[in-house]
Amino acid sequence: MSINFPSPANDNDTYTVGTKTWRFSSNAWSIVNTGSTVPVAGATGPTGPAGATGATGPSGTSGSAGATGPSGATGPTGVGATGDTGPSGVTGPSGATGPSGLAGATGPTGVGATGATGPSGATGASGATGPGFAYNYVLRKYTGTGTANTFTVTSGCSTSDVLVFENGVCQMPTDDYTISSSTLTFTTPPGNGVIIQIRELPR
């Protein structure tokens, strides 16, 4: 008959079936028989799969908590009565104010006498009257057009013989105008409506 040996097994483990006993050694079971051993052939079969874990049993009921003992009564707070406030002492009279010291005398202000005003010097004699001369000049008036820049003067005049004004503003000889024979020429034509005065001085 076939023998189902336990697995796994360790050296010197024994297994008995009926009147026969086997011992495990060197990865094999051997029958023990009056000091001699008979080898048993066949390798150990594989271990079968592990069975499922059984369900966990229900937990036991928790015991109830014991009752909390009562707190001891709080003793009364000791408070002594507040004593009466004693009366305030009488305020003593203020001491008399001592007399102020005498103010020192103010020293005299030094003021020197004002000196007398010296006499005025004599008025000098008037200078002699210079010789007079008649001052006559020729006045020419024109009105600018914005384009015309030549105007007539007395023949023979030069820029040093005339005074030229535009709306009362004296013009600069040579820079603002020139004269040739009897013609005065402006560098820039006087604007439209500008009043032009040419004063020819005595020669």
Side-chain angles (χ1 to χ4, degrees):
M1 67 177 180
S2 61
I3 304 298
N4 291 325
F5 293 103
S7 178
N10 297 317
D11 284 349
N12 294 323
D13 286 351
T14 60
Y15 181 66
T16 301
V17 176
T19 59
K20 296 180 180 180
T21 300
W22 287 263
R23 177 179 287 109
F24 186 81
S25 176
S26 300
N27 297 320
W29 289 94
S30 300
I31 191 168
V32 179
N33 185 15
T34 63
S36 62
T37 60
V38 178
V40 178
T44 302
T47 303
T53 304
T56 303
S59 300
T61 305
S62 300
S64 58
T68 302
S71 301
T74 302
T77 303
V79 179
T82 303
D84 296 333
T85 303
S88 299
V90 179
T91 302
S94 299
T97 303
S100 300
L102 299 175
T106 302
T109 302
V111 180
T114 302
T117 302
S120 300
T123 301
S126 299
T129 301
F133 63 91
Y135 185 78
N136 296 316
Y137 62 87
V138 177
L139 176 61
R140 298 177 185 272
K141 292 184 179 181
Y142 300 97
T143 301
T145 62
T147 57
N149 68 333
T150 58
F151 299 90
T152 301
V153 294
T154 301
S155 179
C157 286
S158 66
T159 54
S160 59
D161 297 329
V162 297
L163 295 176
V164 180
F165 299 87
E166 289 187 14
N167 283 344
V169 178
C170 186
Q171 303 299 295
M172 183 69 65
T174 305
D175 291 341
D176 295 327
Y177 62 90
T178 58
I179 295 176
S180 176
S181 183
S182 61
T183 301
L184 183 147
T185 303
F186 284 99
T187 304
T188 301
N192 187 33
V194 171
I195 302 303
I196 303 167
Q197 288 189 359
I198 303 175
R199 297 178 184 178
E200 297 179 3
L201 305 179
R203 291 178 287 168

